[in-house]
Amino acid sequence: MSGSDELVALYDLGGTVVGAATRSRVRAEGLWHAAGVVLVRSGDGERVYVHLRTATKDVYPSTWDCWAGGIVAAGETPEECARRELAEELGVHGVELRPLFVHVTEDETIRAHNFAFEARWDGPFVHQPSEVVEGRWLTLRELRLWLDDPDSGFIPDGRLGALEWFRREAV
């Protein structure tokens, strides 16, 4: 099955699973779905790992993001998705995922419940070449400056999620 034919979980406005559809249909019709996303912080909590998305990504290509993640597949929980995506995109396995919050993205093309998690990891990272060009650590202050700069090339939904994380979680 190709990526666009992959079955993903459909959600309602309230965040409940209500069925499944192909990824291409979800994208074309702007259907509600969910994502499992993980913020990777250094073991001491002082830095956050950011990565540059490839130019071939179907949504928000060539943007920076601090969340490793993706769409929840049919029959998969958001945590299972987050764990799978963290391993696929950044090569991180066997870490504890701490649930953070759910934030909603709703714009012209995407309607998603983003189930956010945090992991602590000092590396190494193994980038998935089809999704990640490069990555680097930013201090919490540097990340906040990037988020506050509209010209930083930061992914829109990731920016919103990170700002929510700063509001709720960052210490």
Side-chain angles (χ1 to χ4, degrees), residues 13-43:
L13 178 63
T16 301
V17 177
V18 294
T22 62
R23 178 186 292 260
S24 59
R25 183 170 165 232
V26 167
R27 293 287 194 229
E29 298 176 30
L31 300 176
W32 278 102
H33 59 285
V37 299
V38 183
L39 182 84
V40 179
R41 291 176 74 182
S42 57

Coordinates of all heavy atoms in Angstrom, one line a residue, residues 13-43:
L13 N -14.8 16.0 15.8 CA -14.3 17.3 16.4 C -13.9 17.2 17.8 O -13.0 17.8 18.3 CB -15.5 18.3 16.2 CG -15.2 19.7 16.8 CD1 -14.0 20.4 16.1 CD2 -16.5 20.5 16.6
G14 N -14.6 16.3 18.6 CA -14.3 16.1 20.0 C -13.1 15.2 20.3 O -12.7 15.1 21.5
G15 N -12.5 14.6 19.3 CA -11.3 13.8 19.5 C -11.5 12.3 19.7 O -10.6 11.6 20.3
T16 N -12.6 11.8 19.3 CA -13.0 10.4 19.4 C -12.8 9.8 18.0 O -13.2 10.3 17.0 CB -14.4 10.3 19.9 OG1 -14.6 10.9 21.1 CG2 -14.8 8.8 20.0
V17 N -12.2 8.6 18.0 CA -12.1 7.8 16.8 C -13.5 7.4 16.2 O -14.3 6.9 17.0 CB -11.3 6.5 17.0 CG1 -11.2 5.7 15.7 CG2 -9.9 6.9 17.4
V18 N -13.7 7.7 14.9 CA -15.0 7.4 14.4 C -15.0 6.6 13.1 O -16.0 6.3 12.5 CB -15.8 8.7 14.1 CG1 -16.2 9.4 15.4 CG2 -15.1 9.6 13.1
G19 N -13.8 6.1 12.7 CA -13.6 5.3 11.5 C -12.3 5.4 10.9 O -11.3 5.7 11.6
A20 N -12.1 5.1 9.6 CA -10.9 5.1 8.9 C -11.1 5.6 7.5 O -12.2 5.4 7.0 CB -10.2 3.8 9.0
A21 N -10.0 6.1 6.9 CA -10.0 6.5 5.5 C -8.6 6.5 5.0 O -7.6 6.5 5.8 CB -10.6 7.9 5.4
T22 N -8.4 6.6 3.7 CA -7.1 6.7 3.2 C -6.5 8.0 3.5 O -7.2 9.0 3.6 CB -7.1 6.5 1.7 OG1 -7.8 7.5 1.0 CG2 -7.6 5.1 1.3
R23 N -5.2 8.1 3.6 CA -4.4 9.3 3.8 C -4.8 10.3 2.7 O -5.0 11.5 3.0 CB -2.9 9.1 3.9 CG -2.1 10.3 4.1 CD -0.6 10.0 4.0 NE -0.2 9.2 5.1 CZ 0.5 9.7 6.1 NH1 0.7 11.0 6.2 NH2 0.9 9.0 7.1
S24 N -4.9 9.9 1.5 CA -5.1 10.8 0.4 C -6.5 11.4 0.6 O -6.7 12.6 0.3 CB -5.0 10.1 -1.0 OG -5.9 9.0 -1.1
R25 N -7.5 10.7 1.0 CA -8.8 11.2 1.2 C -8.8 12.2 2.4 O -9.5 13.3 2.3 CB -9.8 10.1 1.5 CG -11.2 10.6 1.6 CD -12.3 9.5 1.7 NE -13.5 10.1 2.2 CZ -14.2 9.6 3.2 NH1 -13.9 8.4 3.7 NH2 -15.3 10.2 3.6
V26 N -8.1 11.9 3.5 CA -8.0 12.8 4.6 C -7.4 14.1 4.2 O -7.9 15.2 4.5 CB -7.2 12.1 5.7 CG1 -6.8 13.2 6.8 CG2 -7.9 11.0 6.4
R27 N -6.4 14.1 3.4 CA -5.7 15.3 2.9 C -6.7 16.1 1.9 O -6.8 17.3 2.0 CB -4.4 15.0 2.1 CG -3.3 14.4 3.1 CD -2.8 15.5 3.9 NE -1.5 15.1 4.5 CZ -1.3 15.2 5.8 NH1 -2.1 15.8 6.6 NH2 -0.1 14.8 6.3
A28 N -7.3 15.3 0.9 CA -8.1 16.0 -0.1 C -9.3 16.7 0.5 O -9.7 17.7 0.1 CB -8.5 15.0 -1.2
E29 N -9.9 16.0 1.5 CA -11.2 16.5 2.0 C -11.1 17.2 3.4 O -12.0 17.7 3.9 CB -12.2 15.3 2.2 CG -12.5 14.6 0.9 CD -13.4 13.4 1.1 OE1 -14.2 13.4 2.0 OE2 -13.3 12.5 0.3
G30 N -9.8 17.3 3.9 CA -9.6 18.0 5.1 C -10.3 17.4 6.3 O -10.9 18.0 7.2
L31 N -10.3 16.0 6.3 CA -11.1 15.3 7.4 C -10.3 15.3 8.7 O -9.1 15.4 8.7 CB -11.2 13.8 6.9 CG -12.0 13.6 5.6 CD1 -12.0 12.1 5.3 CD2 -13.4 14.2 5.7
W32 N -11.1 15.3 9.8 CA -10.5 15.3 11.1 C -9.7 14.0 11.3 O -10.2 12.9 11.0 CB -11.6 15.4 12.2 CG -12.0 16.8 12.4 CD1 -13.1 17.4 12.0 CD2 -11.3 17.8 13.2 NE1 -13.2 18.7 12.4 CE2 -12.1 19.0 13.1 CE3 -10.1 17.8 13.9 CZ2 -11.7 20.1 13.7 CZ3 -9.7 19.0 14.5 CH2 -10.5 20.1 14.4
H33 N -8.5 14.1 11.8 CA -7.7 12.9 12.1 C -6.8 13.3 13.3 O -7.1 14.3 14.0 CB -6.8 12.6 10.9 CG -5.9 13.7 10.4 ND1 -6.3 14.8 9.7 CD2 -4.6 13.9 10.6 CE1 -5.3 15.6 9.5 NE2 -4.2 15.1 10.0
A34 N -5.8 12.5 13.6 CA -5.0 12.7 14.8 C -3.5 12.5 14.4 O -3.2 11.8 13.5 CB -5.4 11.9 16.0
A35 N -2.7 13.0 15.2 CA -1.2 12.8 15.1 C -0.7 12.5 16.5 O -1.2 13.0 17.5 CB -0.5 14.0 14.5
G36 N 0.4 11.7 16.5 CA 1.1 11.5 17.7 C 2.5 12.2 17.5 O 3.1 12.0 16.5
V37 N 2.8 13.2 18.4 CA 4.0 14.0 18.2 C 4.8 14.0 19.5 O 4.3 14.0 20.6 CB 3.6 15.4 17.8 CG1 2.9 15.4 16.5 CG2 2.8 16.1 18.9
V38 N 6.1 14.0 19.3 CA 7.0 13.9 20.5 C 8.1 15.0 20.4 O 8.7 15.3 19.4 CB 7.8 12.6 20.5 CG1 8.7 12.5 21.7 CG2 6.9 11.4 20.4
L39 N 8.2 15.8 21.5 CA 9.2 16.8 21.8 C 10.4 16.1 22.4 O 10.2 15.5 23.5 CB 8.6 17.9 22.6 CG 9.6 19.0 22.9 CD1 9.5 20.0 21.8 CD2 9.3 19.7 24.2
V40 N 11.5 16.1 21.8 CA 12.7 15.4 22.4 C 13.5 16.5 23.1 O 14.0 17.4 22.5 CB 13.6 14.7 21.3 CG1 14.8 14.1 22.0 CG2 12.7 13.7 20.6
R41 N 13.7 16.3 24.4 CA 14.5 17.2 25.3 C 15.8 16.4 25.7 O 15.7 15.2 25.9 CB 13.8 17.7 26.5 CG 12.6 18.6 26.2 CD 11.9 19.0 27.4 NE 12.6 19.9 28.2 CZ 12.1 20.4 29.4 NH1 10.9 20.0 29.8 NH2 12.8 21.2 30.1
S42 N 16.8 17.2 25.9 CA 18.1 16.5 26.4 C 17.8 16.0 27.8 O 16.8 16.4 28.5 CB 19.2 17.6 26.5 OG 18.8 18.7 27.3
G43 N 18.6 15.1 28.3 CA 18.4 14.5 29.6 C 18.3 15.5 30.7 O 17.6 15.3 31.7

